[in-house]
Amino acid sequence: MRDWREWLVRQISLAGNFDRHILDAFLQVPREIFSEFKYDPDVVYSDNVIVTAKDKDTYTTSSQPSLMALFMSAAGLKPGMKVLEIGSGTGYNACVMAHVVGEEGLVVGVEINRKFFEKSLEAAAALSLRNVVFVNADGFFGFEKFAPYDVVLVTVAVERISPHWIGQLKIDGRIVAPVHIYTIDRQPAFVFEKTSEGVVAKHLVETRFIKAGGSLGDLNERNLERLSRIEKMFVEPSDFLRLPSSQYETLGVFHVASWSLCERLGWVYFVEDNAFARWKGGWETYGETKLLKAIVEEWARTRYTSMTLLVFHYDYDMNFKGLERWDET
């Protein structure tokens, strides 16, 4: 199978200029042992997603290898680092990263599904890897035991970034995560970097991942619950904010800036503690929507720049602080 792994590495190399230690790690790990399904070698070692296990109506995949190489590269993954992976599935990517960080490093994979978690334990044991640990838990809470981490790498589409990850990350550490913007069915990946002053995020690439379960996949429901507690307080709208941007672009920016959107019966809402807004080709506001107006003002300063060219600023609890353009930072 070594020849097939070399073929895979050649495919990954065509997708980007990746460091040799990342490419060499893919040479060390047999992808087929992480799957309960049998595939021909040309499928297993293609630069494609493959389904690796199924549990009733839930399934997990081995992500596209070149995309994983991109995530590792964007995270600045190097030997000796400590990595937290969220949504580790049956463990292939975690075991590849274990070879990248080497014996002096550590990879901790968190997987919410018990069956997939057990498959990852089995595969890691077969490879005699001692620098990878798997945990069966809700990834929203990270894993405090081995913190602080240099990198948090997320391989499932999450609806929000957990403050627990920020708390468990070193200063200058990075989170690479695909964000599921459910109101427009978009999954852009971002690089979130923890600085001494807060968190800074930049767009990396558009993706398509399995949607997260647990606390990383219930943001719409949480925001709908918040909406239900306040919407009867208002009868008439207080203002209408028209924006010179498409619905697609606007909802993407507001989701990533605030984590405050929800959708019900075809309507999209922005929810604050004591106010809300409804999207009607612009924001129809009810009450004093301070956060929404702050985002509008910050976005206007960037001349309503596309999300892919914005820099998002947050505090350590992932509350919105500001926006900038990439080319003005």
Side-chain angles (χ1 to χ4, degrees):
M1 287 294 183
R2 174 80 182 191
D3 289 346
W4 283 107
R5 281 181 244 166
E6 290 175 348
W7 181 59
L8 173 60
V9 167
R10 286 197 294 272
Q11 294 176 78
I12 295 171
S13 299
L14 292 173
N17 184 23
F18 302 115
D19 288 347
R20 191 69 239 175
H21 63 272
I22 291 177
L23 297 175
D24 286 345
F26 283 94
L27 289 174
Q28 306 303 316
V29 184
R31 197 181 188 194
E32 66 274 9
I33 72 169
F34 297 88
S35 176
E36 66 180 17
F37 306 113
K38 299 297 182 183
Y39 297 105
D40 291 337
D42 63 329
V43 174
V44 174
Y45 291 102
S46 65
D47 186 28
N48 291 311
V49 177
I50 60 171
V51 177
T52 53
K54 190 173 186 295
D55 184 17
K56 298 179 182 177
D57 294 330
T58 303
Y59 66 94
T60 187
T61 64
S62 172
S63 302
Q64 182 182 17
S66 63
L67 184 58
M68 290 300 90
L70 176 62
F71 276 27
M72 294 177 208
S73 181
L77 200 62
K78 297 176 182 177
M81 282 187 166
K82 199 185 300 181
V83 184
L84 175 67
E85 183 183 19
I86 304 299
S88 51
T90 58
Y92 175 65
N93 192 58
C95 290
V96 172
M97 290 194 294
H99 283 279
V100 176
V101 301
E103 294 181 358
E104 299 301 315
L106 177 69
V107 177
V108 179
V110 182
E111 171 55 48
I112 196 170
N113 181 282
R114 182 76 188 181
K115 178 181 176 181
F116 306 156
F117 157 74
E118 290 176 348
K119 180 66 175 175
S120 68
L121 292 179
E122 174 189 310
L127 295 175
S128 301
L129 287 173
R130 297 182 179 179
N131 65 335
V132 61
V133 174
F134 290 104
V135 180
N136 182 211
D138 188 333
F140 178 79
F141 301 100
F143 196 65
E144 183 68 38
K145 180 178 179 180
F146 296 107
Y149 299 96
D150 299 284
V151 168
V152 178
L153 200 144
V154 184
T155 46
V156 64
V158 297
E159 295 177 358
R160 54 179 168 158
I161 300 301
S162 170
H164 294 282
W165 304 344
I166 305 300
Q168 295 170 24
L169 190 65
K170 294 178 182 178
I171 296 292
D172 298 326
R174 295 176 183 176
I175 298 169
V176 182
V179 176
H180 179 217
I181 306 174
Y182 39 80
T183 56
I184 53 174
D185 193 27
R186 183 178 179 184
Q187 293 184 2
F190 287 82
V191 179
F192 299 84
E193 184 167 350
K194 182 177 180 179
T195 72
S196 59
E197 298 179 349
V199 178
V200 178
K202 294 181 179 180
H203 179 272
L204 176 63
V205 67
E206 295 295 315
T207 70
R208 183 57 60 181
F209 280 84
I210 291 175
K211 300 172 188 176
S215 301
L216 294 170
D218 65 353
L219 185 59
N220 191 62
E221 290 74 17
R222 286 174 178 269
N223 286 334
L224 282 173
E225 183 179 345
R226 294 172 63 205
L227 177 65
S228 70
R229 292 197 295 265
I230 62 171
E231 63 180 334
K232 292 181 180 178
M233 296 165 52
F234 304 96
V235 177
E236 298 291 334
S238 54
D239 200 356
F240 187 84
L241 303 177
R242 192 175 301 279
L243 304 177
S245 186
S246 69
Q247 174 175 319
Y248 183 79
E249 196 64 48
T250 299
L251 297 184
V253 168
F254 276 78
H255 182 113
V256 177
S258 70
W259 324 108
S260 295
L261 299 189
C262 57
E263 186 173 22
R264 184 183 65 192
L265 301 176
W267 292 103
V268 175
Y269 297 85
F270 182 100
V271 187
E272 300 187 28
D273 289 339
N274 296 298
F276 71 93
R278 181 169 60 174
W279 179 258
K280 297 180 70 175
W283 288 116
E284 181 182 74
T285 66
Y286 294 77
E288 193 173 357
T289 50
K290 294 181 180 180
L291 175 57
L292 183 142
K293 290 179 179 178
I295 297 171
V296 170
E297 290 173 4
E298 286 290 298
W299 198 19
R301 286 197 314 107
T302 73
R303 300 180 295 280
Y304 299 100
T305 295
S306 165
M307 182 172 68
T308 60
L309 297 176
L310 286 174
V311 180
F312 294 79
H313 292 267
Y314 312 87
D315 64 20
Y316 289 156
D317 291 321
M318 292 305 295
N319 296 312
F320 176 76
K321 288 176 63 178
L323 292 172
E324 293 177 277
R325 290 168 58 106
W326 274 37
D327 56 2
E328 294 179 352
T329 56

